[in-house]
Amino acid sequence: MKYKNPILSGCYPDPSVCRAGDDFYLVNSTFEFFPGVPVWHSRNLVDWELIGHCISRKEQLCLNTGSQNNTGIFAPTIRFHDGTFYMITTNVGEGRDIGNFYVWTKDPAGEWSDPIFLETPGIDPSLFFDDDGRAWYTGTADAGIYIQEIDLKEGKLLGQPVSLWKGTGGAYPEGPHIYKKDGWYYLLISEGGTERCHMLTMARSRNLTGGYEVCPYNPVLTNRSLPLPIQSVGHADLVQAPDGSWWAVCLGTRTFSYPPRHNLGRETMLAPVDFSGEWPVFGANGCLTETFEGPSFAGPFENAGTELFRDDFAEPELKPEWNLIYTPETVFWKTGEGGLRLLGNEKRLCDAERTAWVGRRQRHHDFESEVKLTFDCSQEGEEAGLAIFMNHRHHYEAALIQEAGRRKLILRRQIGSLWKVEKEIDYSGRTVWLRLTGSKERYEFQYRSGQEQDWMTLGGGETIYLTTEGGGHFTGNYIALYSMGNGTPCRTQATFESFLYRGGENK
Ligand code: 6LW
């Protein structure tokens, strides 16, 4: 039975995977978004269930303001050893809680520990547990890939760091992981940068701390310079299945338009790894194709390419699909009977600051989304609406706003330093239904005053201006519900109900 990549669509970059018995667990990087580091569970490597997050408490870690898409939680690694799960990663940026740290748990679906910070340089830390029970920290620094023994119980590095490899000469050797097989220590890294030159390279040694020989046919996996629908393939992690087969999860992008660009972020892909020869062969002779023959050890899999997500916000907590931007120092939101209630502060969407913003990933090129907004705004500058949001400088939104003494329904677009209210309509009602549809060509907004009314066009904008190549960094687009006071804290609460997201080929 074949499966189709991505196995995790939408902004789920830098995947890392481990196995505990017959269960697989996978994590991704999440940058400034909270909760951080989603934990996925699968038994077949193709279908994944979101079971929690490693960073789920604001007390655990501060995701600092000031920047978007390129700071916060970079590449994580998840490992299982002797009954304990470890996740190690880096909080990149300025301010509190910056650097490499790990958290641990006995239950990956439950709470993880508070961070244990390490005085190590660089990014992309990984853990390797040798047959003798010793644990090793592998990292990426200016001098290339290095290793150092670590005492995970004490949270201390032991001995000195040892430089292992600088790669094959590609830019940014990073994302290292070590695997042991048939007496060989295999070191897998990424080179070329996480864009279209991305590639995986490998070396191996009989001795963990040195004497690595380079694979004779590096890169072992890349789509660079090939006319394949998935690009930027790299940043992989390997896992051996219960039937002895080997698999790689990695990131890739699904580009469109010309020059090629992407708006869903770097997504998680799966490739078979043939370890039967002298060196492993990844994917389709070193390339990642859209489809592969799937794993057979756990029976048939679903591999749905569509999603139908509804939320009335009836539970006391936000569903795990929802993210905030930065650690929530104050709570702007309430859920439960009556829907999602947001009370905006004085900040605006265009500030890289904490605002009353709740968003979920756009996970399909073609989708529709709608929500019912009740917002009886009266104070000058109060605003609430529905946005397609790449970052604080690139977003389109439809909103109710109180401006110049009138309540208006507006369509605003911000692309870098340019922003414009494309349309404004006097709107006397306190409730409006908003609808957003997306395709590779355009994002379009519609509105109606009641569920029984016809949708009316408000307007939209080109998709290409909300792409990573158009002004983003490491993340993809979100569909966001927000409220803000445009310079003065809101007095009026915005209530969102009946949220719908429907995406994928058969939407
Ligand atoms: C990550 C690095 C990379 O730390 O991009 O794709 C960086 N690879 O390994 C941020 O995702």
Side-chain angles (χ1 to χ4, degrees):
M1 181 178 174
K2 290 189 181 298
Y3 68 89
K4 187 176 180 186
N5 278 314
I7 54 168
L8 283 177
S9 65
C11 181
Y12 290 111
D14 305 321
S16 172
V17 63
C18 74
R19 180 165 67 86
D22 290 337
D23 295 290
F24 296 95
Y25 297 91
L26 185 150
V27 293
N28 301 99
S29 48
T30 44
F31 301 92
E32 70 269 14
F33 294 101
F34 180 88
V37 189
V39 182
W40 300 89
H41 170 257
S42 175
R43 291 177 76 92
N44 60 30
L45 282 174
V46 175
D47 301 320
W48 293 88
E49 179 196 359
L50 181 58
I51 61 171
H53 288 81
C54 295
I55 306 297
S56 60
R57 306 185 300 277
K58 66 176 187 168
E59 296 76 18
Q60 262 178 303
L61 179 86
C62 184
L63 296 171
N64 296 293
T65 62
S67 174
Q68 289 185 1
N69 292 185
N70 60 358
T71 57
I73 302 296
F74 272 47
T77 297
I78 186 169
R79 290 291 182 262
F80 177 67
H81 177 72
D82 196 17
T84 301
F85 292 85
Y86 299 92
M87 189 285 292
I88 190 166
T89 187
T90 318
N91 188 14
V92 171
E94 306 295 330
R96 282 174 40 200
D97 301 339
I98 297 304
N100 291 301
F101 69 89
Y102 64 96
V103 292
W104 60 271
T105 186
K106 299 286 188 183
D107 171 14
E111 294 286 314
W112 291 66
S113 73
D114 286 340
I116 297 152
F117 280 91
L118 301 167
E119 293 298 318
T120 50
I123 58 171
D124 295 0
S126 182
L127 293 174
F128 170 69
F129 297 92
D130 207 343
D131 298 339
D132 59 6
R134 293 166 74 181
W136 297 82
Y137 174 108
T138 315
T140 306
D142 296 345
I145 307 303
Y146 70 92
I147 193 168
Q148 188 170 2
E149 189 172 0
I150 185 169
D151 178 340
L152 289 167
K153 291 198 174 8
E154 298 300 322
K156 287 194 177 61
L157 277 297
L158 306 173
Q160 291 303 314
V162 176
S163 183
L164 293 186
W165 192 35
K166 293 185 178 179
T168 61
Y172 317 118
E174 58 192 1
H177 295 302
I178 290 179
Y179 314 93
K180 190 169 187 180
K181 183 178 184 297
D182 303 334
W184 286 104
Y185 294 96
Y186 287 90
L187 172 58
L188 178 67
I189 73 170
S190 287
E191 297 181 47
T194 191
E195 301 83 21
R196 294 175 67 83
C197 296
H198 216 186
M199 57 182 169
L200 282 166
T201 56
M202 198 172 228
R204 71 182 181 185
S205 170
R206 291 291 188 191
N207 174 4
L208 177 61
T209 55
Y212 279 80
E213 65 181 53
V214 178
C215 177
Y217 52 78
N218 276 322
V220 291
L221 182 66
T222 187
N223 281 11
R224 65 179 183 174
S225 80
L226 298 174
L228 293 170
I230 296 171
Q231 287 293 319
S232 304
V233 171
H235 203 99
D237 197 6
L238 304 187
V239 68
Q240 186 172 25
D243 66 352
S245 60
W246 284 84
W247 297 84
V249 293
C250 64
L251 70 79
T253 60
R254 289 184 288 159
T255 56
F256 56 91
S257 183
Y258 187 81
R261 56 198 87 189
H262 67 288
N263 64 339
L264 300 182
R266 297 166 298 157
E267 304 173 282
T268 293
M269 311 287 169
L270 178 71
V273 181
D274 176 357
F275 238 128
S276 61
E278 185 60 19
W279 287 86
V281 176
F282 288 63
N285 200 22
C287 298
L288 186 97
T289 52
E290 270 191 309
T291 60
F292 285 104
E293 197 58 38
S296 56
F297 53 81
F301 42 78
E302 191 186 349
N303 189 218
T306 61
E307 180 186 0
L308 176 58
F309 173 79
R310 293 182 186 280
D311 198 350
D312 281 319
F313 306 102
E315 293 79 20
E317 292 301 325
L318 287 168
K319 287 183 177 176
E321 289 82 357
W322 292 106
N323 284 179
L324 310 176
I325 301 182
Y326 311 123
T327 335
E329 297 302 326
T330 52
V331 177
F332 297 111
W333 54 269
K334 275 188 291 187
T335 55
E337 284 310 304
L340 170 67
R341 280 145 288 160
L342 293 182
L343 186 63
N345 61 13
E346 70 285 3
K347 301 296 183 188
R348 297 163 302 164
L349 285 184
C350 58
D351 300 326
E353 293 289 348
R354 291 180 176 85
T355 54
W357 181 105
V358 177
R360 58 141 292 153
R361 290 167 177 78
Q362 177 189 341
R363 299 192 60 183
H364 307 86
H365 288 121
D366 297 301
F367 75 92
E368 59 182 330
S369 187
E370 60 183 69
V371 71
K372 177 185 177 186
L373 166 62
T374 301
F375 186 51
D376 200 6
C377 50
S378 58
Q379 177 181 281
E380 184 67 15
E382 286 188 313
E383 178 178 338
L386 169 68
I388 181 71
F389 185 94
M390 182 167 78
N391 55 40
H392 60 301
R393 292 170 50 82
H394 296 80
H395 45 87
Y396 304 159
E397 59 267 0
L400 282 179
I401 184 171
Q402 183 72 13
E403 193 175 51
R406 294 161 36 216
R407 183 176 304 169
K408 303 174 191 173
L409 178 63
I410 65 167
L411 168 69
R412 179 191 302 117
R413 299 204 295 165
Q414 175 163 356
I415 301 167
S417 57
L418 299 173
W419 68 273
K420 181 184 174 207
V421 174
E422 297 280 356
K423 193 160 193 184
E424 62 176 48
I425 302 167
D426 281 343
Y427 192 87
S428 58
R430 56 195 293 275
T431 294
V432 65
W433 287 77
L434 298 172
R435 186 168 186 263
L436 167 64
T437 57
S439 69
K440 292 176 182 177
E441 291 73 33
R442 285 184 64 82
Y443 289 111
E444 290 287 353
F445 290 91
Q446 296 173 298
Y447 72 98
R448 62 186 181 186
S449 56
Q451 202 167 5
E452 65 293 343
Q453 309 293 319
D454 292 337
W455 289 109
M456 311 279 278
T457 295
L458 191 59
E462 301 91 331
T463 300
I464 56 171
Y465 297 124
L466 299 189
T467 56
T468 296
E469 291 77 4
H473 279 86
F474 294 125
T475 58
N477 291 351
Y478 274 74
I479 291 120
L481 310 175
Y482 74 94
S483 177
M484 60 186 185
N486 288 301
T488 307
C490 287
R491 269 205 322 246
T492 309
Q493 184 172 265
T495 301
F496 296 89
E497 300 167 85
S498 307
F499 179 87
L500 163 77
Y501 173 93
R502 182 185 286 118
E505 293 80 352
N506 319 315
K507 91 169 177 332

